Amino acid sequence: MSTFVKINGTTYPAEINGRRSNSAWDGRDTKEIVLEMDYAAAAALFVDGLAWAIVCQEEGQPEEEYDNSEYSMVGDITAHRDGTLSVLMGKPLEVELQAQRLQELEQAGGGDSAIKADLEAAYQEGVESNG
């Protein structure tokens, strides 16, 4: 079976490894993409908010594509001696999603004050529970 990562309609041969609750990155779910690519090209290609998919192709079978856009945050990009790179993509934590919703509300003029108060309380609770 061949595995690829698909970004902006282009597929790149890759190995993808997943990890639930990655302790090295605040306990978020992550996917590690290992591929051959120049570091500068990877840094330009892998950006926060990236829509990407895993494509699997088994000989004689139709390819299968799995959307992984929920892993939308870029972590470390590591160059290895064998010419490959590892790119870490992670899911946003709930506290980060709440902070984003709060920021969107503020940019939209504040919205409903009860909703804003609930989001602020949830965000503070998440911050306190994460350290």
Side-chain angles (χ1 to χ4, degrees):
M1 179 186 311
S2 298
T3 307
F4 304 86
V5 62
K6 185 176 183 179
I7 302 169
N8 300 325
T10 303
T11 57
Y12 304 89
E15 177 185 324
I16 294 99
N17 304 300
R19 185 184 301 172
R20 296 189 65 66
S21 234
N22 187 335
S23 62
W25 194 6
D26 300 326
R28 76 184 71 240
D29 292 350
T30 58
K31 297 276 175 110
E32 177 190 40
I33 303 165
V34 180
L35 70 166
E36 290 186 27
M37 182 177 284
D38 177 78
Y39 185 91
L45 184 62
F46 290 92
V47 295
D48 284 337
L50 180 66
W52 64 284
I54 297 171
V55 177
C56 299
Q57 175 68 55
E58 193 166 330
E59 191 172 324
Q61 300 293 320
E63 73 178 26
E64 297 178 28
E65 186 170 317
Y66 304 95
D67 180 32
N68 272 259
S69 298
E70 62 188 336
Y71 294 87
S72 61
M73 297 179 68
V74 180
D76 292 336
I77 300 175
T78 305
H80 302 284
R81 289 180 162 210
D82 65 0
T84 62
L85 294 174
S86 296
V87 180
L88 199 59
M89 297 295 293
K91 285 185 180 180
L93 298 172
E94 187 59 35
V95 67
E96 293 164 336
L97 293 172
Q98 291 168 352
Q100 180 182 0
R101 288 190 290 267
L102 182 59
Q103 184 178 24
E104 289 168 357
L105 264 177
E106 289 174 352
Q107 290 174 350
D112 180 37
S113 60
I115 294 171
K116 185 175 178 182
D118 286 347
L119 282 171
E120 285 177 345
Y123 171 73
Q124 191 60 39
E125 180 180 319
V127 167
E128 290 170 1
S129 70
N130 281 326

